[in-house]
Amino acid sequence: AQTVTQSQPEMSVLEAETVTLSCTYDTSESDYYLFWYKQPPSRQMILVIRQEAYKQQNATENRFSVNFQKAAKSFSLKISDSQLGDAAMYFCAYRGITGAGSYQLTFGKGTKLSVIP
Amino acid sequence: DAGVTQSPTHLIKTRGQQVTLRCSPKSGHDTVSWYQQALGQGPQFIFQYYEEEERQRGNFPDRFSGHQFPNYSSELNVNALLLGDSALYLCASSIPSSYNEQFFGPGTRLTVL
């Protein structure tokens, strides 16, 4: 079974600074998807960024980028120019490509990010 | 275009009771997944419905059951409620695609007393 580990329960960053959230995962599959979701106090999960394992190029979405290290099974999220609206819980998630694992997301326990004005 | 909607927003039940939670998927989506998110934890997959059938199930007891209607909306039923069932229940919808991106609703907060 796949597992996702987020080792930082809480992080804080000064407004306009850069922060990196860590995520590691365990899988025996060679191809899969990885995601970062944001959950603000409103509770609604919002997709921040996704990465296909077969792509070596790291995904970027505006101020959000990932550092995907497939051999190390590491998938960190970098937030640049942090804004007050970035404050939220961030979840790393895994989804397989084929079979039963392709239907479900496996989440880590989350990292609570605080942005200090 | 309405996103994923869930009802009710909050619910309080007592142990042993039964509860039904409802989800309407995003327009154009035909697949619905349910997740349980305990306080301070990440969401855990309960099951997924496609074409009115349960396609995949996570590690949850049979007290958790579901249904999908012809209009793709879905219900999650939990019988014989336990204190440990208190959680945020999230519904996510998607369409079959290479990404199979799941769009989440705001959730239903269930409290079992």
Side-chain angles (χ1 to χ4, degrees):
Chain A
Q2 292 78 21
T3 59
V4 177
T5 302
Q6 293 179 250
S7 59
Q8 306 154 315
E10 295 188 30
M11 292 281 286
S12 61
V13 62
L14 293 173
E15 194 176 3
E17 295 294 307
T18 296
V19 64
T20 299
L21 308 184
S22 301
C23 172
T24 59
Y25 58 95
D26 188 27
T27 183
S28 58
E29 298 178 322
S30 60
D31 204 7
Y32 43 86
Y33 292 110
L34 295 166
F35 306 86
W36 278 98
Y37 278 89
K38 171 185 177 181
Q39 187 177 41
S42 66
R43 310 182 319 201
Q44 190 144 9
M45 285 279 196
I46 302 165
L47 179 64
V48 174
I49 198 166
R50 62 172 168 246
Q51 174 81 42
E52 297 96 322
Y54 65 87
K55 290 186 177 179
Q56 292 187 344
Q57 186 174 4
N58 290 323
T60 61
E61 284 288 341
N62 301 313
R63 298 183 295 108
F64 299 88
S65 62
V66 299
N67 183 5
F68 173 49
Q69 301 290 329
K70 190 174 183 179
K73 295 180 182 176
S74 171
F75 182 60
S76 61
L77 174 69
K78 185 172 81 171
I79 307 174
S80 304
D81 185 25
S82 296
Q83 301 175 359
L84 295 178
D86 294 334
M89 285 292 294
Y90 285 82
F91 292 95
C92 179
Y94 170 102
R95 183 171 71 77
I97 296 288
T98 59
S102 67
Y103 301 138
Q104 65 186 76
L105 291 166
T106 300
F107 287 88
K109 290 188 175 182
T111 296
K112 183 179 180 180
L113 178 66
S114 300
V115 180
I116 303 167
Chain B
D1 175 27
V4 180
T5 60
Q6 293 186 243
S7 63
T9 304
H10 297 90
L11 203 52
I12 299 176
K13 292 286 188 178
T14 56
R15 282 178 297 174
Q17 285 190 313
Q18 179 263 345
V19 68
T20 297
L21 311 181
R22 295 176 176 83
C23 171
S24 291
K26 182 177 170 66
S27 178
H29 287 191
D30 59 5
T31 303
V32 173
S33 303
W34 286 92
Y35 292 82
Q36 179 195 66
Q37 186 178 14
L39 194 63
Q41 302 293 317
Q44 286 198 302
F45 176 75
I46 302 175
F47 42 52
Q48 184 180 89
Y49 276 83
Y50 173 67
E51 293 187 340
E52 302 181 50
E53 295 286 334
E54 182 183 290
R55 179 158 68 175
Q56 180 66 25
R57 188 179 186 90
N59 188 25
F60 279 81
D62 292 344
R63 298 187 297 109
F64 290 77
S65 63
H67 188 76
Q68 185 177 35
F69 299 93
N71 67 352
Y72 307 123
S73 65
S74 177
E75 289 182 348
L76 165 65
N77 301 293
V78 187
N79 294 322
L81 284 167
L82 304 174
L83 295 179
D85 294 332
S86 295
L88 179 68
Y89 288 84
L90 297 169
C91 169
S93 72
S94 58
I95 55 173
S97 70
S98 59
Y99 289 119
N100 194 24
E101 180 178 341
Q102 298 191 10
F103 291 78
F104 285 82
T108 293
R109 171 73 66 189
L110 172 65
T111 302
V112 182
L113 302 177

